[in-house]
Amino acid sequence: MSQGVGVVGLYVRDQDEALKFYVEKLGFRVHTDAKNGDYRWLTVQHPDQPSFQLGLFAPQPPTVDETTAQTLREVVAKGAMPPLVLTVDDCRAAYDRMSAAGVEFTQEPVDRYGAVDASFRDPSGNGWKMIQGR
């Protein structure tokens, strides 16, 4: 029996805005975009990691009630969720490429702990740490 994590979900305020960010600015590609009534299952994947999907989900019923959905949107917008980590071969080159594409960084590349890292947030407020592999 094979088992593993295939999808990790992020809450986003607007799925179309998130899709544009992750595809056009970060270089991900659409894996699944399907609707069931008002619910939209939207996942993207990095081209170098085809077995893993990042879900771009709107907090909404039926997953959560409307009051909880509003709370989740506020928490995400404040950047309160734990950051995700994007590993890259060259942090400074990725920073230059992504900055030119319009990604707003909260921390420029810094040498630390034997690696180089930088930080950015997506349009919904989700934090990312970009780390150069050793």
Side-chain angles (χ1 to χ4, degrees), residues 1-20:
M1 180 170 125
S2 177
Q3 148 177 347
V5 176
V7 179
V8 169
L10 288 179
Y11 281 132
V12 297
R13 69 174 170 220
D14 180 294
Q15 288 178 298
D16 290 324
E17 174 187 52
L19 180 61
K20 186 175 181 176

Side-chain angles (χ1 to χ4, degrees), residues 19-47:
L19 180 61
K20 186 175 181 176
F21 176 82
Y22 283 93
V23 171
E24 294 179 11
K25 297 186 179 188
L26 299 189
F28 285 63
R29 63 178 175 226
V30 176
H31 181 276
T32 305
D33 190 353
K35 288 189 88 170
N36 183 7
D38 290 337
Y39 186 80
R40 182 179 182 189
W41 180 267
L42 176 62
T43 65
V44 295
Q45 63 187 174
H46 193 277

Side-chain angles (χ1 to χ4, degrees), residues 65-109:
D65 62 74
E66 188 52 45
T67 301
T68 303
Q70 181 58 36
T71 300
L72 287 168
R73 286 189 288 270
E74 291 168 3
V75 168
V76 169
K78 291 178 180 179
M81 303 304 289
L84 294 151
V85 176
L86 179 66
T87 57
V88 296
D89 291 331
D90 184 331
C91 188
R92 288 181 174 81
Y95 171 85
D96 290 342
R97 183 181 68 255
M98 292 166 59
S99 291
V103 174
E104 295 181 26
F105 281 81
T106 56
Q107 175 205 309
E108 294 182 4

